């Protein structure tokens, strides 16, 4: 119950009188009729007030100010349905109030501004902004200066803007330059630009902590600076999966009010070296081949992904491999439990307590968590071997407009785990069914040739005596996993798995002949299939085939709050859409 009453008076909006009340956490104004009876009430959380200005002020699409002694304008977050998108659009709400006197006007503006500062301690004051002018439709500059910068100015946020001129410029800046005084880093671009910021901030944090990123068993230090994403790229998967919509104004408002969403990060190692970090997709086979093919058709723009996907599907490739994974605790959550990671996610909240039991000892559970990577715990790993259409690891749902539920609909943003998806070799029509289900609400895992596991780490290696990599120009020499290292690992052969599942009535009992590579090749793509594929790591081709990957729980924080929907708004705050 709110008892912290700050201010109450009558205010006018146009010709209508309202009873306005500012409490500790909400600003409410209720229309009052001529008989002093309450009518419609609008309630805005203080934490979602964007700015308070003297006079009659307009910000978007152009700023205009009419200086009047008895008026003030309140700007706040206003939600609306986003049509086909899963989340909610945020818009800049604006209400102009009139008072009986200038003294009362000054009281309201002072109290509202003080309330915002008191109840929004995580709001940024100074931001470092990187704009990619080449990404997507090359509208990064326009999006920032016309839609985002005016909102930052309204909220009193100062920003230092850098327009990048080359690849990895943002990453290099974050690794080398002085970042003192900045509260966060904002990228205006797509997933590639976000990846630069991610690598720069994680690398800088580990440098300052004296930690070696190349050591796959090291406990990494969480990044102190938040990351904001203003979507302006060809692909904006990270933004969509953490906000629910691809909209610059929505993302800017999340940054302004200081929302904070922790995010798991997957590190990829080859031998004793870090290769890359990933948050959305680490994919071998189909997804790697699509990326390789799309690089040949960059002139097509975003359409190259659809074209390349079709061509790779028609080529009907599968690849031999050995996948080893360290299972997560099945009692905590499951990739098949049909839950969605939404704003205020209970699974992620409990994981925060589990990952950081003591605020002063953020690495305590990391140490025990990653001790499983040592040779002493090899018996806890599970190994499978066979031919795969694709092998994928994701730390989030990886949803996007074309796949609203994503690669793994029940994956969580911040629970310290990833979802491993194994798609075994199958008939082309079966694989097409798997791909098609990503565009609908059907369960893509409910197929006899698909497995999904919630994991803490994975290893991938090639079977012995596999022929050399045909992609030598884009990949370094692979490191062969020591046979003794795998000696004590629990091995589940594909035959054994199929026998067990067949007994359970799943219909997955294929013969060795059926598991062999399908000789079918489409006439359009009848070139010789390569013996191995490549890894697609968040849209970048990795130089290594044999890798070790592990998940770092809540390593970075975004200016976001997870996906909202109407049900979540009602259950969490008791309020509907403004």
């Amino acid at each position: 119950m709110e008892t912290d009453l700050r201010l109450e008076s009558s205010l006018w909006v146009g010709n209508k009188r309202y009873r306005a009340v500012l409490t500790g956490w909400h600003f409410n104004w209720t229309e009052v009729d001529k008989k002093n009876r309450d009518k419609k009430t609008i309630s805005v959380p203080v934490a979602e007030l964007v700015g308070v200005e003297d006079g009659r002020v307009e910000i978007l699409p152009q700023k205009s100010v009419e200086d009047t002694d008895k008026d003030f304008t309140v700007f706040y977050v206003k939600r609306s349905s986003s049509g086909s998108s899963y989340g909610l659009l945020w818009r800049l709400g604006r209400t102009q109030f009139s008072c009986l006197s200038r003294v009362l006007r000054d009281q309201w503006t002072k109290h509202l501004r003080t309330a915002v500062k008191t109840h929004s301690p995580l709001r940024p004051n100074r931001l470092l902004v990187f704009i990619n002018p080449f990404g997507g439709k090359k509208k990064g500059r326009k999006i920032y200066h016309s839609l985002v910068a005016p909102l930052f100015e309204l909220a009193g946020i100062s920003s230092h803007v850098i327009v990048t001129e080359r690849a990895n410029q943002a990453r290099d800046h974050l690794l080398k330059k002085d970042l003192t005084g900045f509260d966060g880093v904002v990228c205006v671009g797509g997933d590639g630009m976000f990846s630069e910021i991610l690598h720069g901030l994680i690398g800088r944090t580990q440098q300052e902590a004296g930690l070696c990123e190349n050591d796959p068993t090291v406990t990494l230090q969480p990044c102190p600076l938040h990351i904001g994403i203003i979507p302006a790229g060809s692909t904006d998967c990270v933004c969509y999966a953490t906000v629910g919509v691809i909209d610059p104004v929505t993302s800017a408002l999340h940054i302004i009010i200081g929302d904070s969403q922790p995010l798991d990060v997957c590190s990829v190692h080859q031998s004793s070296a870090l290769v890359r970090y990933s948050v959305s997709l680490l994919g071998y086979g189909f997804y790697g081949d699509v990326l390789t093919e799309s690089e040949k058709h960059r002139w097509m723009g975003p359409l190259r992904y659809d074209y390349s996907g079709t061509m790779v599907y028609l080529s009907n490739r599968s690849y031999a491999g050995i996948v080893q994974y360290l299972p997560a605790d099945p009692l905590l959550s499951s990739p098949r439990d049909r839950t969605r990671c939404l704003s205020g996610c209970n699974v992620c909240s409990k994981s925060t307590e589990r990952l950081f039991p003591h605020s002063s000892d953020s690495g305590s559970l990391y140490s025990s968590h990653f001790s499983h990577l040592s040779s002493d715990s090899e018996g806890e790993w599970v190994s499978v071997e066979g031919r795969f259409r694709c092998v994928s690891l994701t730390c989030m749902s990886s949803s996007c407009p074309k796949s609203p539920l994503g690669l793994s609909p029940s994956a969580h943003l911040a629970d310290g785990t990833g979802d491993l998806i194994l798609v075994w070799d199958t008939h082309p029509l079966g694989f097409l069914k798997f791909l098609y289900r990503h565009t609908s609400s059907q369960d893509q895992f409910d197929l006899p040739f698909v497995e999904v596991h919630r994991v803490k780490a994975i290893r991938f290696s090639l079977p012995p005596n596999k022929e050399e990599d045909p992609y030598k120009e884009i990949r370094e020499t692979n490191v062969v996993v020591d046979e003794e290292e795998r000696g004590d690992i629990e091995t589940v052969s594909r035959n054994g798995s199929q026998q067990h599942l067949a007994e359970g009535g799943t219909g997955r009992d294929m013969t060795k002949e059926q598991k062999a590579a399908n000789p079918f090749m489409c006439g359009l793509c009848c070139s010789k299939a390569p013996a191995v594929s490549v890894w697609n790591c968040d849209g970048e081709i990795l130089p290594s085939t044999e890798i070790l990957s592990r998940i770092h729980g809540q390593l970075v924080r975004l200016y976001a709050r997870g996906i909202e929907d109407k049900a979540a708004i009602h259950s969490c705050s008791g309020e509907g859409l403004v």
Side-chain angles (χ1 to χ4, degrees):
M1 181 178 180
E2 294 181 311
T3 58
D4 187 15
L5 182 64
R6 299 287 184 85
L7 189 60
E8 180 177 0
S9 75
S10 291
L11 297 176
W12 278 260
V13 178
N15 295 323
K16 296 181 180 180
R17 183 168 71 93
Y18 286 80
R19 179 169 53 85
V21 180
L22 173 64
T23 63
W25 297 97
H26 283 81
F27 175 43
N28 309 320
W29 58 98
T30 304
E31 184 180 351
V32 180
D33 63 15
K34 295 180 179 180
K35 296 183 179 180
N36 211 33
R37 293 176 300 189
D38 290 351
K39 297 176 70 176
K40 179 182 178 181
T41 296
I42 297 177
S43 179
V44 176
V46 169
E48 294 184 3
L49 293 178
V50 177
V52 181
E53 296 288 317
D54 295 335
R56 296 177 176 271
V57 181
E58 179 69 83
I59 298 297
L60 297 176
Q62 278 188 320
K63 183 174 182 178
S64 64
V65 179
E66 182 183 347
D67 191 11
T68 53
D69 289 343
K70 300 178 182 179
D71 299 326
F72 67 96
T73 305
V74 176
F75 298 90
Y76 51 91
V77 172
K78 185 176 181 179
R79 294 171 175 80
S80 64
S81 176
S82 54
S84 59
S85 296
Y86 193 74
L88 292 173
L89 287 171
W90 282 19
R91 289 290 174 257
L92 184 65
R94 178 178 65 94
T95 301
Q96 296 174 343
F97 294 96
S98 297
C99 306
L100 292 175
S101 67
R102 178 168 184 168
V103 173
L104 182 59
R105 191 276 306 270
D106 292 343
Q107 277 186 306
W108 272 108
T109 56
K110 178 182 177 181
H111 278 75
L112 285 168
R113 289 167 182 162
T114 300
V116 168
K117 290 181 178 180
T118 302
H119 297 292
S120 303
L122 294 180
R123 290 198 179 199
N125 294 310
R126 188 167 182 241
L127 295 170
L128 177 59
V129 180
F130 291 97
I131 300 176
N132 178 6
F134 308 108
K137 297 181 180 179
K138 300 181 179 180
K139 293 184 177 180
R141 276 197 184 106
K142 181 179 180 180
I143 288 173
Y144 178 77
H145 290 295
S146 64
L147 297 176
V148 179
L151 296 178
F152 284 177
E153 182 183 357
L154 170 65
I157 297 174
S158 64
S159 57
H160 177 64
V161 179
I162 297 176
V163 180
T164 59
E165 300 175 349
R166 60 175 176 84
N168 293 321
Q169 180 180 344
R171 182 201 65 183
D172 295 342
H173 184 101
L174 294 172
L175 286 171
K176 301 173 183 177
K177 301 296 184 179
D178 183 16
L179 303 179
T180 303
F182 290 109
D183 301 305
V185 181
V186 174
C187 64
V188 183
D191 291 332
M193 191 64 174
F194 170 79
S195 182
E196 278 196 42
I197 303 297
L198 181 76
H199 283 78
L201 282 183
I202 295 177
R204 177 63 173 266
T205 303
Q206 310 323 308
Q207 285 179 13
E208 295 180 347
L211 299 175
C212 178
E213 296 176 271
N214 291 322
D215 183 356
T217 64
V218 76
T219 298
L220 297 184
Q221 185 73 21
C223 300
L225 295 180
H226 280 62
I227 302 175
I229 306 174
I230 303 297
S234 299
T235 59
D236 299 290
C237 173
V238 178
C239 180
Y240 192 92
T242 55
V243 178
V245 294
I246 297 177
D247 178 68
V249 172
T250 300
S251 295
L253 292 173
H254 279 288
I255 294 170
I256 287 170
I257 69 173
D259 270 340
S260 183
Q261 171 62 54
L263 189 66
D264 297 337
V265 177
C266 170
S267 64
V268 185
H269 301 262
Q270 185 221 14
S271 187
S272 59
L274 172 73
V275 182
R276 281 189 77 85
Y277 292 107
S278 167
V279 296
S280 58
L281 170 66
L282 181 63
Y284 181 83
F286 178 79
Y287 297 111
D289 290 351
V290 169
L291 182 60
T292 301
E293 181 69 21
S294 70
E295 288 300 304
K296 305 173 185 176
H297 310 285
R298 296 191 68 87
W299 57 271
M300 296 177 67
L303 287 176
R304 68 185 184 270
Y305 297 112
D306 294 331
Y307 171 79
S308 300
T310 301
M311 298 303 291
V312 171
Y313 166 75
L314 292 174
S315 70
N316 194 44
R317 298 171 186 166
S318 64
Y319 300 95
I322 301 171
V323 181
Q324 302 161 354
Y325 60 91
L326 186 62
D329 187 348
L331 298 179
L332 298 177
S333 63
S334 166
R336 301 294 301 277
D337 59 17
R338 296 186 177 274
T339 62
R340 291 282 288 165
C341 186
L342 300 174
S343 179
C345 174
N346 187 48
V347 172
C348 293
S349 297
K350 289 183 177 179
S351 296
T352 301
E353 301 171 2
R354 180 171 52 86
L355 290 167
F356 307 109
H358 305 291
S359 59
S360 62
D361 185 17
S362 61
S364 59
L365 186 119
Y366 272 128
S367 301
S368 61
H369 179 86
F370 293 124
S371 66
H372 292 295
L373 294 173
S374 66
S375 59
D376 295 336
S377 60
E378 290 291 339
E380 300 182 30
W381 288 72
V382 177
S383 177
V384 292
E385 179 177 359
R387 295 194 67 87
F388 303 95
R389 284 301 185 109
C390 57
V391 176
S392 307
L393 178 67
T394 180
C395 292
M396 58 173 62
S397 67
S398 295
S399 56
C400 64
K402 290 187 177 181
S403 178
L405 298 181
L407 292 176
S408 186
S410 294
H412 290 274
L413 295 173
D415 67 341
T417 70
D419 285 354
L420 172 66
I421 305 166
L422 304 176
V423 182
W424 298 88
D425 193 12
T426 187
H427 191 274
L429 292 180
F431 188 55
L432 181 62
K433 180 183 291 187
F434 168 76
L435 295 176
Y436 176 76
R437 287 189 177 185
H438 286 78
T439 66
S440 67
S441 59
Q442 289 183 283
D443 184 2
Q444 62 262 45
F445 303 140
D446 188 23
L447 294 167
F449 52 89
V450 180
E451 294 181 16
V452 60
H453 307 278
R454 188 144 289 172
V455 302
K456 295 182 284 187
I458 70 165
R459 292 190 186 110
F460 182 86
S461 58
L462 298 175
N465 303 320
K466 202 66 191 170
E467 67 179 77
E468 289 296 317
D469 180 2
Y471 296 107
K472 290 182 179 179
E473 69 277 7
I474 57 171
R475 186 187 285 115
E476 299 169 351
T477 303
N478 294 323
V479 176
V480 179
V481 177
D482 191 338
E483 291 299 321
E484 293 182 0
E485 183 183 73
R486 296 198 300 263
D488 297 328
I489 300 178
E490 175 191 356
T491 300
V492 180
S493 70
R494 184 60 175 154
N495 287 335
S497 297
Q498 288 163 349
Q499 181 179 359
H500 174 75
L501 292 170
E503 290 171 356
T506 63
R508 207 187 276 195
D509 47 347
M510 293 184 288
T511 66
K512 290 183 179 180
E513 289 75 13
Q514 288 172 315
K515 282 179 260 178
N518 195 315
F520 169 83
M521 291 290 286
C522 175
L524 294 174
C525 313
C526 56
S527 59
K528 181 183 177 182
V532 297
S533 181
V534 296
W535 283 99
N536 177 344
C537 182
D538 289 358
E540 296 291 333
I541 297 175
L542 294 189
S544 310
T545 300
E546 297 186 326
I547 62 169
L548 163 67
S549 181
R550 51 179 277 193
I551 289 83
H552 303 261
Q554 304 186 12
L555 190 59
V556 298
R557 285 185 173 268
L558 306 184
Y559 284 119
R561 64 170 59 177
I563 296 176
E564 289 184 316
D565 62 6
K566 294 180 181 179
I569 294 296
H570 282 293
S571 62
C572 293
S573 65
E575 297 186 25
L577 304 182
V578 175

